mmCIF file of all heavy atoms in Angstrom:
data_model
loop_
_atom_site.group_PDB
_atom_site.id
_atom_site.type_symbol
_atom_site.label_atom_id
_atom_site.label_comp_id
_atom_site.label_asym_id
_atom_site.label_seq_id
_atom_site.Cartn_x
_atom_site.Cartn_y
_atom_site.Cartn_z
ATOM 1 N N LYS A 357 -31.947 -4.703 -101.417
ATOM 2 C CA LYS A 357 -30.671 -5.294 -101.804
ATOM 3 C C LYS A 357 -29.978 -5.823 -100.546
ATOM 4 O O LYS A 357 -29.814 -5.079 -99.575
ATOM 5 C CB LYS A 357 -29.767 -4.263 -102.492
ATOM 6 C CG LYS A 357 -30.288 -3.783 -103.843
ATOM 7 C CD LYS A 357 -30.288 -4.902 -104.868
ATOM 8 C CE LYS A 357 -30.718 -4.380 -106.237
ATOM 9 N NZ LYS A 357 -30.784 -5.476 -107.248
ATOM 10 N N VAL A 358 -29.591 -7.076 -100.585
ATOM 11 C CA VAL A 358 -28.926 -7.694 -99.436
ATOM 12 C C VAL A 358 -27.452 -7.901 -99.771
ATOM 13 O O VAL A 358 -27.122 -8.467 -100.826
ATOM 14 C CB VAL A 358 -29.577 -9.036 -99.071
ATOM 15 C CG1 VAL A 358 -28.841 -9.672 -97.875
ATOM 16 C CG2 VAL A 358 -31.052 -8.845 -98.737
ATOM 17 N N VAL A 359 -26.590 -7.417 -98.886
ATOM 18 C CA VAL A 359 -25.138 -7.593 -99.033
ATOM 19 C C VAL A 359 -24.678 -8.585 -97.970
ATOM 20 O O VAL A 359 -24.808 -8.321 -96.771
ATOM 21 C CB VAL A 359 -24.386 -6.259 -98.863
ATOM 22 C CG1 VAL A 359 -22.883 -6.478 -99.031
ATOM 23 C CG2 VAL A 359 -24.898 -5.220 -99.855
ATOM 24 N N GLY A 360 -24.162 -9.715 -98.403
ATOM 25 C CA GLY A 360 -23.627 -10.704 -97.477
ATOM 26 C C GLY A 360 -22.119 -10.578 -97.382
ATOM 27 O O GLY A 360 -21.439 -10.388 -98.405
ATOM 28 N N ILE A 361 -21.589 -10.644 -96.179
ATOM 29 C CA ILE A 361 -20.138 -10.497 -95.960
ATOM 30 C C ILE A 361 -19.628 -11.680 -95.152
ATOM 31 O O ILE A 361 -20.161 -11.993 -94.094
ATOM 32 C CB ILE A 361 -19.808 -9.197 -95.209
ATOM 33 C CG1 ILE A 361 -20.335 -7.974 -95.980
ATOM 34 C CG2 ILE A 361 -18.311 -9.066 -94.974
ATOM 35 C CD1 ILE A 361 -20.221 -6.670 -95.215
ATOM 36 N N THR A 362 -18.596 -12.342 -95.663
ATOM 37 C CA THR A 362 -17.964 -13.410 -94.904
ATOM 38 C C THR A 362 -16.457 -13.382 -95.119
ATOM 39 O O THR A 362 -15.957 -12.706 -96.015
ATOM 40 C CB THR A 362 -18.548 -14.790 -95.269
ATOM 41 O OG1 THR A 362 -18.129 -15.743 -94.300
ATOM 42 C CG2 THR A 362 -18.084 -15.241 -96.662
ATOM 43 N N GLY A 363 -15.756 -14.128 -94.283
ATOM 44 C CA GLY A 363 -14.300 -14.186 -94.359
ATOM 45 C C GLY A 363 -13.751 -14.708 -93.046
ATOM 46 O O GLY A 363 -14.432 -14.686 -92.013
ATOM 47 N N SER A 364 -12.533 -15.169 -93.081
ATOM 48 C CA SER A 364 -11.904 -15.666 -91.859
ATOM 49 C C SER A 364 -11.616 -14.526 -90.885
ATOM 50 O O SER A 364 -11.609 -14.720 -89.675
ATOM 51 C CB SER A 364 -10.601 -16.393 -92.192
ATOM 52 O OG SER A 364 -10.853 -17.522 -92.992
ATOM 53 N N PHE A 365 -11.371 -13.342 -91.408
ATOM 54 C CA PHE A 365 -11.163 -12.164 -90.582
ATOM 55 C C PHE A 365 -11.514 -10.935 -91.396
ATOM 56 O O PHE A 365 -11.572 -10.982 -92.625
ATOM 57 C CB PHE A 365 -9.718 -12.064 -90.065
ATOM 58 C CG PHE A 365 -8.685 -12.633 -91.001
ATOM 59 C CD1 PHE A 365 -8.160 -11.875 -92.014
ATOM 60 C CD2 PHE A 365 -8.259 -13.948 -90.867
ATOM 61 C CE1 PHE A 365 -7.219 -12.404 -92.886
ATOM 62 C CE2 PHE A 365 -7.324 -14.486 -91.728
ATOM 63 C CZ PHE A 365 -6.802 -13.710 -92.752
ATOM 64 N N GLY A 366 -11.819 -9.858 -90.693
ATOM 65 C CA GLY A 366 -12.155 -8.602 -91.370
ATOM 66 C C GLY A 366 -13.623 -8.416 -91.682
ATOM 67 O O GLY A 366 -14.028 -7.331 -92.117
ATOM 68 N N LYS A 367 -14.447 -9.440 -91.455
ATOM 69 C CA LYS A 367 -15.843 -9.318 -91.886
ATOM 70 C C LYS A 367 -16.651 -8.321 -91.050
ATOM 71 O O LYS A 367 -17.489 -7.592 -91.584
ATOM 72 C CB LYS A 367 -16.541 -10.676 -91.911
ATOM 73 C CG LYS A 367 -16.503 -11.495 -90.654
ATOM 74 C CD LYS A 367 -17.149 -12.864 -90.879
ATOM 75 C CE LYS A 367 -17.077 -13.721 -89.620
ATOM 76 N NZ LYS A 367 -15.666 -14.153 -89.364
ATOM 77 N N THR A 368 -16.387 -8.272 -89.731
ATOM 78 C CA THR A 368 -17.144 -7.329 -88.902
ATOM 79 C C THR A 368 -16.759 -5.886 -89.229
ATOM 80 O O THR A 368 -17.626 -5.021 -89.386
ATOM 81 C CB THR A 368 -16.903 -7.617 -87.408
ATOM 82 O OG1 THR A 368 -17.309 -8.953 -87.120
ATOM 83 C CG2 THR A 368 -17.702 -6.662 -86.541
ATOM 84 N N SER A 369 -15.461 -5.624 -89.340
ATOM 85 C CA SER A 369 -15.027 -4.274 -89.720
ATOM 86 C C SER A 369 -15.582 -3.896 -91.084
ATOM 87 O O SER A 369 -16.053 -2.764 -91.290
ATOM 88 C CB SER A 369 -13.496 -4.207 -89.735
ATOM 89 O OG SER A 369 -12.970 -4.416 -88.447
ATOM 90 N N THR A 370 -15.542 -4.835 -92.015
ATOM 91 C CA THR A 370 -16.061 -4.573 -93.360
ATOM 92 C C THR A 370 -17.552 -4.287 -93.319
ATOM 93 O O THR A 370 -18.055 -3.447 -94.081
ATOM 94 C CB THR A 370 -15.771 -5.772 -94.283
ATOM 95 O OG1 THR A 370 -14.351 -5.951 -94.378
ATOM 96 C CG2 THR A 370 -16.347 -5.557 -95.673
ATOM 97 N N LYS A 371 -18.276 -4.974 -92.443
ATOM 98 C CA LYS A 371 -19.717 -4.731 -92.305
ATOM 99 C C LYS A 371 -19.980 -3.291 -91.867
ATOM 100 O O LYS A 371 -20.821 -2.599 -92.453
ATOM 101 C CB LYS A 371 -20.317 -5.701 -91.298
ATOM 102 C CG LYS A 371 -21.788 -5.446 -90.972
ATOM 103 C CD LYS A 371 -22.303 -6.409 -89.918
ATOM 104 C CE LYS A 371 -21.629 -6.204 -88.593
ATOM 105 N NZ LYS A 371 -22.130 -7.125 -87.555
ATOM 106 N N PHE A 372 -19.253 -2.824 -90.844
ATOM 107 C CA PHE A 372 -19.441 -1.449 -90.374
ATOM 108 C C PHE A 372 -19.035 -0.449 -91.459
ATOM 109 O O PHE A 372 -19.712 0.564 -91.667
ATOM 110 C CB PHE A 372 -18.617 -1.213 -89.106
ATOM 111 C CG PHE A 372 -19.273 -1.719 -87.851
ATOM 112 C CD1 PHE A 372 -19.114 -3.026 -87.444
ATOM 113 C CD2 PHE A 372 -20.055 -0.878 -87.075
ATOM 114 C CE1 PHE A 372 -19.714 -3.500 -86.279
ATOM 115 C CE2 PHE A 372 -20.675 -1.328 -85.916
ATOM 116 C CZ PHE A 372 -20.502 -2.648 -85.514
ATOM 117 N N ILE A 373 -17.929 -0.715 -92.125
ATOM 118 C CA ILE A 373 -17.443 0.177 -93.188
ATOM 119 C C ILE A 373 -18.446 0.246 -94.334
ATOM 120 O O ILE A 373 -18.811 1.338 -94.809
ATOM 121 C CB ILE A 373 -16.070 -0.305 -93.702
ATOM 122 C CG1 ILE A 373 -14.995 -0.060 -92.630
ATOM 123 C CG2 ILE A 373 -15.698 0.378 -95.011
ATOM 124 C CD1 ILE A 373 -13.690 -0.784 -92.901
ATOM 125 N N THR A 374 -18.893 -0.918 -94.792
ATOM 126 C CA THR A 374 -19.843 -0.987 -95.908
ATOM 127 C C THR A 374 -21.125 -0.235 -95.576
ATOM 128 O O THR A 374 -21.662 0.515 -96.407
ATOM 129 C CB THR A 374 -20.169 -2.458 -96.239
ATOM 130 O OG1 THR A 374 -18.960 -3.131 -96.598
ATOM 131 C CG2 THR A 374 -21.169 -2.569 -97.380
ATOM 132 N N THR A 375 -21.616 -0.417 -94.375
ATOM 133 C CA THR A 375 -22.846 0.268 -93.947
ATOM 134 C C THR A 375 -22.667 1.780 -93.981
ATOM 135 O O THR A 375 -23.530 2.505 -94.492
ATOM 136 C CB THR A 375 -23.234 -0.193 -92.535
ATOM 137 O OG1 THR A 375 -23.454 -1.603 -92.533
ATOM 138 C CG2 THR A 375 -24.501 0.511 -92.063
ATOM 139 N N THR A 376 -21.540 2.255 -93.456
ATOM 140 C CA THR A 376 -21.290 3.700 -93.418
ATOM 141 C C THR A 376 -21.205 4.278 -94.828
ATOM 142 O O THR A 376 -21.767 5.346 -95.109
ATOM 143 C CB THR A 376 -19.992 3.997 -92.649
ATOM 144 O OG1 THR A 376 -20.081 3.448 -91.335
ATOM 145 C CG2 THR A 376 -19.751 5.497 -92.540
ATOM 146 N N ILE A 377 -20.513 3.594 -95.718
ATOM 147 C CA ILE A 377 -20.379 4.079 -97.101
ATOM 148 C C ILE A 377 -21.734 4.080 -97.813
ATOM 149 O O ILE A 377 -22.102 5.071 -98.465
ATOM 150 C CB ILE A 377 -19.365 3.208 -97.876
ATOM 151 C CG1 ILE A 377 -17.943 3.446 -97.335
ATOM 152 C CG2 ILE A 377 -19.413 3.513 -99.377
ATOM 153 C CD1 ILE A 377 -16.900 2.508 -97.908
ATOM 154 N N LEU A 378 -22.479 3.009 -97.675
ATOM 155 C CA LEU A 378 -23.765 2.905 -98.376
ATOM 156 C C LEU A 378 -24.799 3.895 -97.864
ATOM 157 O O LEU A 378 -25.734 4.256 -98.578
ATOM 158 C CB LEU A 378 -24.311 1.477 -98.275
ATOM 159 C CG LEU A 378 -23.490 0.386 -98.978
ATOM 160 C CD1 LEU A 378 -24.158 -0.973 -98.820
ATOM 161 C CD2 LEU A 378 -23.300 0.718 -100.459
ATOM 162 N N LYS A 379 -24.617 4.357 -96.628
ATOM 163 C CA LYS A 379 -25.545 5.345 -96.072
ATOM 164 C C LYS A 379 -25.451 6.701 -96.776
ATOM 165 O O LYS A 379 -26.316 7.563 -96.569
ATOM 166 C CB LYS A 379 -25.286 5.524 -94.570
ATOM 167 C CG LYS A 379 -25.918 4.430 -93.723
ATOM 168 C CD LYS A 379 -25.709 4.682 -92.239
ATOM 169 C CE LYS A 379 -26.410 3.611 -91.403
ATOM 170 N NZ LYS A 379 -26.206 3.834 -89.949
ATOM 171 N N GLU A 380 -24.418 6.886 -97.599
ATOM 172 C CA GLU A 380 -24.323 8.108 -98.413
ATOM 173 C C GLU A 380 -25.464 8.198 -99.418
ATOM 174 O O GLU A 380 -25.808 9.282 -99.880
ATOM 175 C CB GLU A 380 -22.985 8.146 -99.145
ATOM 176 C CG GLU A 380 -21.785 8.397 -98.250
ATOM 177 C CD GLU A 380 -21.826 9.738 -97.552
ATOM 178 O OE1 GLU A 380 -22.009 10.764 -98.250
ATOM 179 O OE2 GLU A 380 -21.702 9.771 -96.313
ATOM 180 N N LYS A 381 -26.085 7.054 -99.705
ATOM 181 C CA LYS A 381 -27.127 7.048 -100.735
ATOM 182 C C LYS A 381 -28.389 6.290 -100.306
ATOM 183 O O LYS A 381 -29.478 6.560 -100.816
ATOM 184 C CB LYS A 381 -26.570 6.427 -102.024
ATOM 185 C CG LYS A 381 -27.480 6.538 -103.233
ATOM 186 C CD LYS A 381 -26.767 6.071 -104.490
ATOM 187 C CE LYS A 381 -27.662 6.239 -105.713
ATOM 188 N NZ LYS A 381 -26.969 5.827 -106.962
ATOM 189 N N PHE A 382 -28.253 5.341 -99.370
ATOM 190 C CA PHE A 382 -29.363 4.449 -99.055
ATOM 191 C C PHE A 382 -29.704 4.441 -97.561
ATOM 192 O O PHE A 382 -28.897 4.825 -96.716
ATOM 193 C CB PHE A 382 -29.020 3.007 -99.472
ATOM 194 C CG PHE A 382 -28.710 2.844 -100.926
ATOM 195 C CD1 PHE A 382 -27.388 2.663 -101.354
ATOM 196 C CD2 PHE A 382 -29.712 2.857 -101.888
ATOM 197 C CE1 PHE A 382 -27.084 2.499 -102.693
ATOM 198 C CE2 PHE A 382 -29.417 2.697 -103.232
ATOM 199 C CZ PHE A 382 -28.103 2.512 -103.639
ATOM 200 N N ASN A 383 -30.906 3.957 -97.287
ATOM 201 C CA ASN A 383 -31.307 3.647 -95.914
ATOM 202 C C ASN A 383 -30.850 2.209 -95.642
ATOM 203 O O ASN A 383 -31.363 1.270 -96.246
ATOM 204 C CB ASN A 383 -32.832 3.771 -95.762
ATOM 205 C CG ASN A 383 -33.291 3.604 -94.318
ATOM 206 O OD1 ASN A 383 -32.618 2.970 -93.511
ATOM 207 N ND2 ASN A 383 -34.452 4.159 -94.001
ATOM 208 N N VAL A 384 -29.887 2.054 -94.742
ATOM 209 C CA VAL A 384 -29.203 0.769 -94.570
ATOM 210 C C VAL A 384 -29.457 0.196 -93.183
ATOM 211 O O VAL A 384 -29.398 0.917 -92.178
ATOM 212 C CB VAL A 384 -27.678 0.915 -94.789
ATOM 213 C CG1 VAL A 384 -26.997 -0.452 -94.743
ATOM 214 C CG2 VAL A 384 -27.390 1.615 -96.108
#
Side-chain angles (χ1 to χ4, degrees):
K357 293 294 184 183
V358 179
V359 180
I361 302 172
T362 193
S364 297
F365 32 85
K367 54 184 178 289
T368 301
S369 296
T370 298
K371 174 183 65 179
F372 279 87
I373 289 167
T374 300
T375 300
T376 303
I377 291 173
L378 295 181
K379 280 183 177 179
E380 289 298 308
K381 188 172 182 178
F382 301 105
N383 186 335
V384 186

